[in-house]
Amino acid sequence: MPQRKPPLDVEALWALKRIGAPTLSPDGTTACAAVTSFDMAKNEERTELWLFPTAAGGEPRMLTAGIKDSDPRWSPDGRHIAFIAKRKDDDEPQVYLIAPDGGEARRLTSQSTGCRGLKWFPDGKRIAFVSFVWPDLASDAQQGKRQKARRDDKVKAIVTERSEYRFWDRWIADGREPHVFACTVATGRSVDLLAGTGLALPPWDPTAEDYDIAPDGREIAVSIDPAPEPGMMNRRDIVLVDTRTRRKRALTAASGMDDGFPVYSPDGTVIAQIAFNTRRAFNDQGHIRLVDRKSGAVTRILPRLDRQPTHVRWTPDGGALLFTCEDRARVHLMRVALRGRALTRIAEGGTIGSFAQSRDGGVIAFDRATSAHPASLYAVGGDGRGERSIESLNGALMARHAFGETREFTIRGADGEAVQLWVTYPPAFDPAKKWPLMHSIHGGPHAAHHDGWHYRWNSHVFAGWGYVVAMVNYHGSSSFGQRFIESITGQYGKKEFADVEAATDFMLAKGYIDRDRLTATGGSYGGYMVAYMNGHTDRYTSYVCHAGCYDWVSMMATDGYRFFASELGAFHWDNEPRVMAQSPHHFVRRAKTPTLVIHGELDYRVPATQALQYYNTLKAKGVAARLVYFPDENHWILKPQNSRLWYREFRAWLARFAPGGPGSRRARR
């Protein structure tokens, strides 16, 4: 009898190599991508650059052997690959250059404030990057001196009058702002292109998509926040800046939209961008616009497309746009012809993250993950033909493990409306036996369980423990249209709860779910949901609440508190009953289901006090609870050994109240 393969476990999950976004050589023959691997014993990660031939049968090879080499960008002439690295002599990440045929990488920049968000100038003579700088200082030497003084200062107090002074897991109250720089390849000299303009990119983790370079290199388009003080809910404008004179011209100030992600057409006459109608809805999914560079005239592309577009790019001939588009929890690569507006799929299925195209547009490289496989690289013709896999670094490891099937269902959720449900089954699933059900509730709320791969909440690891894993794309989830996104605004918890309950009923009707072994878990907004559910039902044996929002009043400590009036329909001082009706803490008197509470101290999106408040309340009520607290993690658990502990605690808690596997003993409370 052949030996059964083991299911995927956390050790195997962290042994997988994680493939980054590809960049493509101008001739389309080779893709380059960052590959990250982890050492569980050392609790370390390593990121290197690899080359992948786009023709079938080619062998990949490692290009760099650094520790943190990332964000590769192929030069227009194909002679160099620029990338970001932090090597032994670097205090901050710098721009490096390497030839595609190998050799030693050369450090190009010595930017005291570091580099990110690379983009080549079209002539290949300069490289643009983003760096956080103090706008009142004129030289890099002054920047470095102030940075060192602040680092060496024994007083670490933060003093601010800004409304938004933290973001995700870092403070943004030191006066620095992100500027776009240009570095001359021949000399390594860098120039701040926004110096003296009063402009800066928004400070919320800016990338190379927040600016673009005109084909002639004489102008950049930047997405900026025109308000006196940056805010996450502020509307952005696209401003054009002359790279020599620093003269600036607002291009979209009169649009009334939140305008971002500018991309010049190949002839430089038009800028494509994504506009968000945040005046109408704070959670607007956006649409593509073309803006005439001289007149500012606007043309909306695909006005009937009720889905979110991302990563807009021009085809080299300027006759079409490529973009990724989320639809029913899948992300496709799309092409829209500007003449006739014909919309076609270039690559579909799974979740496509990013893409790059050759100089003539004849080859496109992209990364795609599915529910059955982590992100991998593919190539396809510019017309969508001839798709092929160009990377299989994880093939051997994946082949050593058994995976259950993931199925897609449509159920009737809140108000009888159609709701998508993904279900991952254990590898040895037998429908004639009874199995425990585990809900994995996604965060957001305006996100989705995709046909994709998750490292922090991997459904195959959960299923390998012997659970049928249900993943509901509840009302409010993205990729199902604007109306569906907005359907929960001002009434958080209500419809989402009905959708989860409908999924439980649907699965029970299948006959193979043990009604005495129902569990629900979730992170972020999913954590909010299980805390909300604890005050509304006792049908589940246990909950896992990771980084969950518990009290909308004390959640005013979050970095995103200004969203509350839009999300909840009011601030609590203006309409307390409305806010309380959406807050789990308001219903905690009824909570009696055992809960595992997990949180990271460096989480500024959902402050760690939310977990302590919830855990303490459950303990005060005599409800079984366990706290797992990570002082060195943020909203996510990112370190290998911390993740291993997370999965271990997660599994032990579920097994305590709803043991995994078929026909296990009756769960006890």
Side-chain angles (χ1 to χ4, degrees):
M1 177 180 291
Q3 186 175 7
R4 285 187 177 179
K5 295 179 180 179
L8 190 73
D9 59 18
V10 65
E11 300 289 344
L13 189 67
W14 279 93
L16 291 168
K17 296 183 184 299
R18 305 189 188 185
I19 314 300
T23 182
L24 194 58
S25 61
D27 62 7
T29 61
T30 311
C32 179
V35 177
T36 301
S37 56
F38 296 86
D39 187 317
M40 179 67 77
K42 295 181 179 179
N43 204 33
E44 294 176 349
E45 68 178 80
R46 184 184 188 97
T47 303
E48 302 155 334
L49 303 186
W50 283 64
L51 296 177
F52 304 91
T54 59
E59 288 295 325
R61 65 178 176 89
M62 191 170 66
L63 178 64
T64 69
I67 301 297
K68 295 182 179 180
D69 298 344
S70 63
D71 200 19
R73 294 288 186 271
W74 219 296
S75 65
D77 62 8
R79 296 173 56 194
H80 297 95
I81 295 173
F83 62 99
I84 296 292
K86 186 177 181 182
R87 299 198 167 178
K88 61 181 180 180
D89 295 327
D90 299 329
D91 292 326
E92 298 289 341
Q94 301 296 334
V95 180
Y96 280 76
L97 291 176
I98 192 170
D101 57 0
E104 284 296 318
R106 172 172 68 93
R107 187 175 69 180
L108 181 64
T109 63
S110 298
Q111 186 76 19
S112 62
T113 48
C115 307
R116 62 166 72 187
L118 294 183
K119 188 168 285 186
W120 284 88
F121 275 73
D123 63 5
K125 295 180 179 180
R126 290 180 290 173
I127 297 175
F129 62 87
V130 177
S131 189
F132 277 79
V133 296
W134 285 279
D136 61 311
L137 300 182
S139 70
D140 185 67
Q142 292 173 323
Q143 299 281 342
K145 183 177 180 181
R146 180 177 291 181
Q147 184 155 294
K148 184 178 185 305
R150 296 206 172 195
R151 186 169 52 244
D152 295 342
D153 197 333
K154 302 302 181 184
V155 178
K156 303 300 181 183
I158 296 172
V159 180
T160 187
E161 294 187 18
R162 291 181 61 161
S163 297
E164 294 177 19
Y165 46 87
R166 300 198 299 181
F167 180 69
W168 206 251
D169 59 0
R170 62 181 175 86
W171 288 78
I172 52 172
D174 63 356
R176 292 197 294 171
E177 55 188 33
H179 284 198
V180 179
F181 284 73
C183 180
T184 302
V185 174
T187 65
R189 179 175 176 269
S190 297
V191 177
D192 185 348
L193 298 180
L194 298 184
T197 65
L199 302 175
L201 302 180
W204 329 111
D205 284 343
T207 71
E209 290 196 326
D210 290 305
Y211 72 94
D212 199 30
I213 305 167
D216 60 9
R218 296 179 179 178
E219 181 182 272
I220 59 172
V222 291
S223 181
I224 62 100
D225 184 344
E229 180 182 299
M232 282 183 274
M233 289 194 70
N234 292 351
R235 291 190 302 109
R236 293 164 294 172
D237 287 338
I238 294 174
V239 177
L240 309 181
V241 179
D242 189 295
T243 58
R244 293 174 297 179
T245 67
R246 307 294 189 270
R247 290 178 182 171
K248 56 187 180 181
R249 177 168 64 92
L251 184 66
T252 63
S255 73
M257 300 283 171
D258 173 24
D259 296 305
F261 314 114
V263 187
Y264 284 91
S265 62
D267 65 5
T269 62
V270 177
I271 289 177
Q273 52 113 178
I274 301 178
F276 302 85
N277 189 359
T278 53
R279 284 185 175 177
R280 194 200 61 78
F282 79 98
N283 49 19
D284 184 73
Q285 62 190 344
H287 59 273
I288 302 173
R289 288 185 164 198
L290 300 181
V291 186
D292 187 273
R293 184 176 169 187
K294 290 185 177 180
S295 69
V298 172
T299 302
R300 180 170 177 175
I301 301 297
L302 301 171
R304 296 184 180 180
L305 178 65
D306 188 22
R307 294 294 186 268
Q308 180 176 353
T310 50
H311 305 314
V312 177
R313 303 285 186 273
W314 290 86
T315 56
D317 63 4
L321 295 174
L322 299 176
F323 61 98
T324 52
C325 184
E326 188 184 25
D327 180 36
R328 292 192 55 79
R330 297 172 176 86
V331 180
H332 309 296
L333 176 56
M334 311 295 292
R335 180 184 188 275
V336 57
L338 298 187
R339 180 176 295 179
R341 301 294 194 267
L343 182 64
T344 56
R345 288 183 181 177
I346 298 298
E348 60 184 335
T351 300
I352 294 174
S354 58
F355 64 93
Q357 49 186 331
S358 60
R359 183 169 43 217
D360 64 1
V363 179
I364 298 173
F366 62 95
D367 62 276
R368 176 172 58 202
T370 69
S371 61
H373 200 283
S376 187
L377 295 183
Y378 298 83
V380 67
D383 57 1
R385 298 177 182 177
E387 181 182 309
R388 62 268 186 196
S389 172
I390 62 172
E391 176 272 315
S392 58
L393 295 181
N394 290 313
L397 189 152
M398 293 289 288
R400 291 197 292 268
H401 295 274
F403 294 86
E405 182 183 3
T406 296
R407 303 177 191 169
E408 178 185 1
F409 299 98
T410 298
I411 63 174
R412 292 294 166 185
D415 302 328
E417 295 182 336
V419 170
Q420 186 188 56
L421 169 66
W422 297 103
V423 179
T424 298
Y425 292 87
F429 176 71
D430 182 351
K433 298 179 180 180
K434 292 286 188 178
W435 297 81
L437 179 71
M438 178 195 133
H439 277 285
S440 178
I441 306 175
H442 74 70
H446 309 304
H449 278 297
H450 288 107
D451 177 15
W453 188 264
H454 211 301
Y455 285 97
R456 298 183 308 277
W457 290 72
N458 190 274
S459 63
H460 289 288
V461 172
F462 300 146
W465 299 340
Y467 294 89
V468 174
V469 183
M471 298 161 282
V472 184
N473 279 326
Y474 51 73
H475 279 76
S477 299
S478 60
S479 79
F480 298 90
Q482 188 64 39
R483 176 181 170 275
F484 198 77
I485 289 174
E486 293 183 39
S487 64
I488 64 171
T489 300
Q491 51 179 344
Y492 277 8
K494 183 179 178 181
K495 289 188 176 183
E496 308 92 295
F497 175 51
D499 294 339
V500 173
E501 290 286 79
T504 299
D505 294 338
F506 175 83
M507 295 304 296
L508 285 169
K510 294 290 186 182
Y512 47 71
I513 297 300
D514 185 347
R515 66 177 58 252
D516 292 321
R517 289 187 290 160
L518 305 177
T519 69
T521 71
S524 192
Y525 194 85
Y528 159 81
M529 279 305 305
V530 296
Y532 180 92
M533 291 166 63
N534 206 353
H536 287 80
T537 181
D538 63 353
R539 79 190 300 193
Y540 301 92
T541 65
S542 61
Y543 294 119
V544 177
C545 176
H546 172 92
C549 313
Y550 170 66
D551 177 355
W552 285 126
V553 178
S554 59
M555 268 291 288
M556 287 296 292
T558 178
D559 62 350
Y561 69 92
R562 293 173 69 189
F563 284 91
F564 289 176
S566 298
E567 290 180 300
L568 305 175
F571 284 117
H572 64 273
W573 58 84
D574 289 328
N575 192 337
E576 186 176 24
R578 184 168 193 175
V579 173
M580 292 301 101
Q582 302 170 74
S583 188
H585 88 283
H586 188 62
F587 304 98
V588 76
R589 179 177 59 84
R590 307 174 197 165
K592 56 184 178 181
T593 301
T595 300
L596 175 65
V597 181
I598 311 174
H599 221 107
E601 174 62 28
L602 303 179
D603 187 352
Y604 301 159
R605 180 55 46 93
V606 181
T609 50
Q610 292 290 298
L612 302 182
Q613 188 177 345
Y614 187 30
Y615 175 77
N616 291 354
T617 301
L618 293 175
K619 284 295 186 181
K621 285 176 50 62
V623 178
R626 184 176 178 89
L627 176 67
V628 180
Y629 162 83
F630 293 95
D632 56 345
E633 297 283 9
N634 58 21
H635 198 56
W636 301 324
I637 307 305
L638 300 175
K639 295 180 173 65
Q641 292 184 15
N642 283 347
S643 175
R644 180 170 60 185
L645 175 65
W646 185 93
Y647 274 100
R648 184 184 299 156
E649 290 285 342
F650 196 115
R651 182 179 189 178
W653 186 259
L654 293 185
R656 183 169 160 185
F657 300 96
S664 299
R665 63 179 175 81
R666 185 182 180 87
R668 297 177 186 173
R669 299 236 183 160

